[in-house]
Amino acid sequence: MHPLKIGIIALLLLQTGCANNSAANFKLSHLAKSDIDSVTDMHIQEVRKLSQELTIKLYKRNPRELSKAPPGTTIQKRLDQIFSDQRLHGYSELNGVKSTAAITLSFNEAFEGDRVFALMAGISSMLYAAYNYQDEFYILDEIDQQKLYNSARNLESVSWQLNNRKDINGERYILSNGISATGIRNLSYERLFGKLISLQDMMALLIADTTNRNITRVVQSAASMTFLPI
C-alpha cells in the first residue's frame, strides 16, 4: 500500500477512535473507501459475473473449441485461467497476447487454438485493464473514464463480430445468437453483451461526473477490427 495512503488511514483511525481494542469488528476497508469506490467494486463484481456467464454459455454452444484445449481441460479450468493473474501478464497458450490482441486472434483465420478461450481471455483482460488492473478500489485510487468508455465501444464491436465474422467456408468462427429449428430466436448472448456495455458506460459517466472530466466520444464502425485503446 502507498505510504501516503497508510498515513491517511492511520489518521482516520485515530480520529474515529477505532484504534482501540474495542473495535474488533471494525473493517479497515470500510474506512478506506469512498462511495464511488464501493460503487466501482460492485461494478467489477457484476462485470466478472456476467463475463463468467458468457464464457460458460459460449463453451456450451461451441464444444469443439474446448476440445482444442490441452487434455483434461474443463470449463471450470478455463474460467480459472481467464480470471487469473494471467490477465495482467498475458496468456502463454496465446503466445503471450491479451486484451484486444487476444480478441483479434479469436477471429483470425489462421488461428487453430481454442477461439472461445482467446475471445474471453481477451475480453477479461481488456476489462481488467479498464479498471487499472484492480479488483478493489480505495480512497486514493483513480480510474480513467475514457478507458471505461472505450471498453464499452470495443464490446459493441465484439458483439457484432460474433454475429457476422465468418471463415472461408462461410461458417461463423464462434457460434452465439441463433434461431432454433422451431424458429425461436436465442438472443441471450446479445443480452449479456448489452448488460456489460451498459455497466461500462454507466461507470464511465459516474467517474466523469465525480471528477469533472469529459469523455471523448468516438464514432466507431462495429465491423472494424481496430479497437479503441485501453
Side-chain angles (χ1 to χ4, degrees), residues 42 47-48 85 88 99 107-108 122 143 175:
M42 286 188 286
V47 163
R48 184 186 182 95
D85 288 342
L88 177 61
S99 191
F107 296 107
N108 188 319
I143 187 169
L175 299 177

Side-chain angles (χ1 to χ4, degrees), residues 19-55:
N20 56 49
N21 294 332
S22 64
N25 295 324
F26 176 78
K27 290 188 177 180
L28 185 62
S29 60
H30 291 171
L31 179 62
K33 287 183 181 293
S34 65
D35 288 342
I36 194 65
D37 292 329
S38 297
V39 171
T40 303
D41 288 352
M42 286 188 286
H43 273 73
I44 291 172
Q45 292 169 13
E46 187 64 16
V47 163
R48 184 186 182 95
K49 186 185 79 172
L50 291 171
S51 297
Q52 289 177 333
E53 185 179 345
L54 179 60
T55 302

Side-chain angles (χ1 to χ4, degrees), residues 154-194:
N154 289 346
L155 286 172
E156 288 177 340
S157 180
V158 173
S159 181
W160 189 93
Q161 309 293 336
L162 269 177
N163 287 318
N164 295 278
R165 294 279 292 182
K166 297 179 181 179
D167 61 22
I168 56 174
N169 298 315
E171 300 291 332
R172 283 189 290 167
Y173 286 110
I174 303 172
L175 299 177
S176 56
N177 299 309
I179 302 176
S180 69
T182 58
I184 298 175
R185 298 188 68 191
N186 175 11
L187 298 177
S188 57
Y189 301 88
E190 190 170 311
R191 284 193 290 272
L192 283 173
F193 271 103

Side-chain angles (χ1 to χ4, degrees), residues 66-79:
L66 190 61
S67 68
K68 300 176 184 177
T73 300
T74 62
I75 294 177
Q76 184 57 54
K77 287 183 178 180
R78 277 310 201 203
L79 288 172

